[in-house]
Amino acid sequence: MPSSSKSGGVSGPTSPPHPTVPSRPLRPSRYVPVSAATAFLVGATTLFFCFTCPWLSEQFSVAVPIYNGIIFLFVLANFCMATFMDPGIFPRAEEDEDKEDDFRAPLYKTVEIRGIQVRMKWCSTCRFYRPPRCSHCSVCDNCVEDFDHHCPWVNNCIGRRNYRYFFLFLLSLTAHIMGVFGFGLLYILYHTQHLDQVHSAVTMAVMCVAGLFFIPVAGLTGFHIVLVARGRTTNEQVTGKFRGGVNPFTNGCWKNVSRVLCSSQAPRYLGRKRKSQTVSVQPPFLRPQLSEAQLAAKVLDNGIQGDLHRSKSSLEMMESQSADAEPPPPPKPELRYPGLSRASKSSLLNKAPPTPTMFKYRPTYSSPGKNHTALTHAYANQMSRGDSLKESSSSLLQSSQQQGYRSEPSLDGREGGGGERGGAERSAGSQGAPLGSGMPGYSLGGRSYPSFSDPTVLSGGASHSSSVRSSHNVPASEATTSTSYKSLANQTPPPAPRNGSLSYDSLLTPSESPDFESAAPELSPRQPRTPVLGYSSPFLSAQIAHQREAELHQISSSSSSLLASPHRGAYLRSSASSPPLPHPHHHHHHHHHHHRPTRFSRPPLLSDPGSLSYSSAAAAEMQYRLVRKASASVGEGHTGTKDEIQMRSYSRTNGQPRTFLPQSPPSTPSSPSNPISISTRPGHAYASVASPQSPTHKTGGGVKKVTGVGGTTYEISV
Amino acid sequence: GPEFHNLQELRQSASLANKVFIQRDYSEGTVCKFHTKLPSELDSRIEKTLFEDTVKTLNNYYAEAEKIGGHAYLEGCLACITAYLIFLCMETRYEKVLKKISRYIQEQNEKIYAPRGLLITDPIERGMRVIEISIYEDRSSSGSSTSSSTTSSSGR
């Protein structure tokens, strides 16, 4: 049965968000559109039935009101289901799922879906990597599976579980409006001589309402018919994820439609009765027999996912830990990933990602070589630069072996989606103009997912868009100021997971918001701001990911400069086109000064194959996460205005790209575009960077990257 | 030995040492499917084939639940006709399969995993994002080579 997914009071005074109280603030304005919609629907239909139908049923047939009654019932049923049904909310991940310290876990995790690279973003609110097509709704403050949009007219997110009802609601509402209007017209045509009657007046009023709503509703219905046929969500459509690319989620028109209409009702995740575990676990425990060959195979196999040293230590955590007194030396990149051929891209990605181990249950583990405990302390205690570097690097090695899709907070204090949604709310009023014939509801409601492809929206929603970024950056800066800069400055690049902790942004997809908020490379290490990574990697291949990973381990001190310029995008692009890096270690050192900045820029770092940009990007990302974590802990109640203000100031700072990094390599032709791209006007940014970007964009030859808002990125091999 | 009815009591002889999360396999889209590869942490705890069988069976269950077929279609039609009131009394196909999965996991735990000091948690509790496997260690010192005591820390 549908369960309400909304919390909070029904009505009442709006209370300011309490930093200490996690409950969502009451926002009566949320209920205005849904109340208005309900009032219009029920009111107009009731008037129709009372004033128009009696005559029609006498004059023509009783089938008229019956038909209209059935349609209206259908409308109501689907409306209620769309409104009250849980859209597919993911429950927050429990603490033990958060495998590592946040600032070591990558912001993104990449998976390959039918040959297309899709990026999953870390959701700092929900504490997991968002599955593909999942997005975090800031209005509801939840990650929703197969997120379509947040509909203000039903005051609910539309996701996997209730999309069908929403779609049927639109269809039936269109039919209902047409019926009401048509029969009303019929009535009027027969009563042209009696237009002064109450009945006629009411009928005309109802016709006006019906006619008024018909255009947006029919437009929206048509839009969703197209979406269903193409197997896309509104989110993906408006963020242009598949523009010019391939949709990995489509199965053909017929299967897409049948999937929407004919699949079994998906289960809800929230509010389930948790079954208590009744199975007893008692020693002695059975152990499988490991042969020599198996051990040897394990060693080799773990070369990719972690060498024997690490697996041993993870498995035998209870044993004496003298062996862990020293951090293991980093294996050479070639040895590290012996099976990783530069050519095969999918083999690696199709392998099961190593399950990240959770170390929290290790009782007396205090080895500095072991990751997060030491790092946490370092982070919290603001260790000195040298110490932190050493410890973090050793732990990096450890964790990198694990391949982690570690949980890590993304940059925003609350959530990227939260920021953008909040921004949407703020700027919604100023927008007003429908984005297109097909989506009036999205802009009018103000809270629905904004369309990024519309420059009007973008400019109107400058605050909004900036809030997207600001939500990422502002808390970071707050956090940075409040927490230790040193740990941020000192951090070495995080261990890249196999599939890349890098965030790439395609210039083609300006609408992507939360995704793109990587650290800002523009900021100098001196500044307590979160760096924003701007990558524009058109492609990501497993080999590149591996290369990066390998290089990450080589990163040593002077990580502070890494804050400045993540070039991951550039790195990926150039490295993809060039042969494997000969001296990643060397390059890393060399290049981490590079700070390529915003996600919208595509620095053509062809001269620098990329280890540098990668390392700097990785470093920036690492701090990004660190800041995210700090900011998340600082408080979640960032108001929109604060985000806006901070974002604006941040973007202004971002507008000065190269001031902090005098040693930037010469290959910064796109730097002029950086300030623009970092600006709070993503639409403009995209427009401005579009041209310089495209030539360099294609260097990689063959992979186009499309990103979307939900934190997913799609890379299409051309 | 004494029967333990909840995990808390188990601390006396076995303690939760670690948790491993089997991630979703998205290579075929958003259908519910988990990776069948044995994670390295479990390498010494359970045989690869047993583990793979468990995950493959789960994957099959989920595929069955999400199958778009005549049964699901009829269910949808019935729901539509009754203005979705049928959901009040009828259990959907997916829920039925979830119950089957729950029973299967319980049985696997009893037969295979608990004797090896492991416990599988139903993925639905985690939003079907991961299969959580809890790894237990024998607290009391025993002759087992891999479960050496934690107290043997040397000046750490």
Side-chain angles (χ1 to χ4, degrees), chain A residues 639-657:
Chain A
T639 60
T641 37
K642 188 160 69 150
D643 287 349
E644 267 180 291
I645 293 167
Q646 282 162 330
M647 204 253 336
R648 277 195 216 107
S649 59
Y650 172 76
S651 60
R652 276 199 293 275
T653 313
N654 269 347
Q656 306 135 34

Side-chain angles (χ1 to χ4, degrees), chain A residues 1-2 73-74 77-78 81 85 90-94 96-97 99 109 111-115 120 127-129 131-133 145-146 160 164-165 168 248-249 255 258-259 261-269 272 274-290 298 301-302 305 310-311 314-322 324-326 349-359 361-368 405, chain B residues 1-7 10-11 13-30 35-47 65-69 71-73 75-76 79-81 83-88 92-95 98 102-103 106 109-110 112-121 123-130 132 135-140 144-154 156:
Chain A
M1 210 42 214
L73 207 62
F74 201 58
N78 285 300
M81 293 294 267
M85 174 166 270
F90 283 113
R92 302 276 198 267
E94 291 173 15
D96 50 18
E97 205 180 322
K99 297 137 205 108
K109 192 164 111 172
V111 290
E112 183 171 302
I113 301 181
R114 300 193 191 166
M120 308 198 311
R127 320 288 295 169
F128 54 74
Y129 287 96
R133 301 196 117 177
E145 187 173 12
D146 287 1
R160 177 184 178 192
R164 171 198 348 221
Y165 307 114
L168 291 174
F249 305 110
K255 284 207 177 140
S258 54
R259 213 177 127 220
L261 298 179
C262 309
S263 59
S264 179
Q265 174 65 54
R268 69 175 188 280
Y269 301 129
R272 291 191 82 88
R274 254 216 182 185
K275 210 171 117 176
S276 59
Q277 188 60 264
T278 55
V279 179
S280 66
V281 176
Q282 298 183 57
F285 298 142
L286 301 176
R287 302 278 177 172
Q289 308 300 320
L290 279 184
K298 190 163 85 97
D301 178 49
N302 281 343
Q305 299 173 8
R310 179 194 69 83
S311 58
S314 72
L315 285 172
E316 297 163 0
M317 46 190 156
M318 301 305 189
E319 279 183 274
S320 161
Q321 296 164 9
S322 53
D324 288 319
E326 287 175 340
L349 292 168
N350 281 336
K351 283 187 193 156
T355 40
T357 330
M358 182 200 61
F359 294 100
Y361 292 95
R362 292 192 182 198
T364 56
Y365 209 133
S366 57
S367 156
Y405 299 111
Chain B
E3 277 297 318
F4 293 110
H5 295 288
N6 60 48
L7 292 182
L10 298 177
R11 304 281 163 146
S13 63
S15 62
L16 179 63
N18 199 356
K19 283 193 187 186
V20 176
F21 297 94
I22 313 293
Q23 302 290 328
R24 280 272 292 268
D25 178 359
Y26 292 110
S27 60
E28 288 169 26
T30 49
H35 280 289
T36 55
K37 188 176 184 315
L38 182 71
S40 49
E41 294 83 356
L42 297 180
D43 211 0
S44 67
R45 302 297 299 254
I46 186 164
E47 289 82 354
E66 294 182 355
K67 199 170 65 153
I68 305 168
H71 188 277
Y73 176 70
E75 195 180 89
C80 237
I81 290 168
Y84 308 115
L85 295 169
I86 197 86
F87 286 138
L88 287 170
T92 71
R93 172 201 184 87
Y94 214 118
E95 290 286 343
L98 286 179
S102 177
R103 280 197 297 270
Q106 170 94 359
N109 272 337
E110 282 167 8
I112 298 177
Y113 288 82
R116 289 168 173 76
L118 305 171
L119 274 184
I120 299 181
T121 305
I124 194 76
E125 293 180 20
R126 298 270 176 166
M128 299 206 336
R129 294 178 295 105
V130 288
E132 171 193 331
I135 303 177
Y136 289 86
E137 284 293 348
D138 192 357
R139 253 211 215 164
S140 55
S144 164
S145 62
T146 51
S147 61
S148 13
S149 75
T150 61
T151 59
S152 67
S153 59
S154 52
R156 282 238 114 162

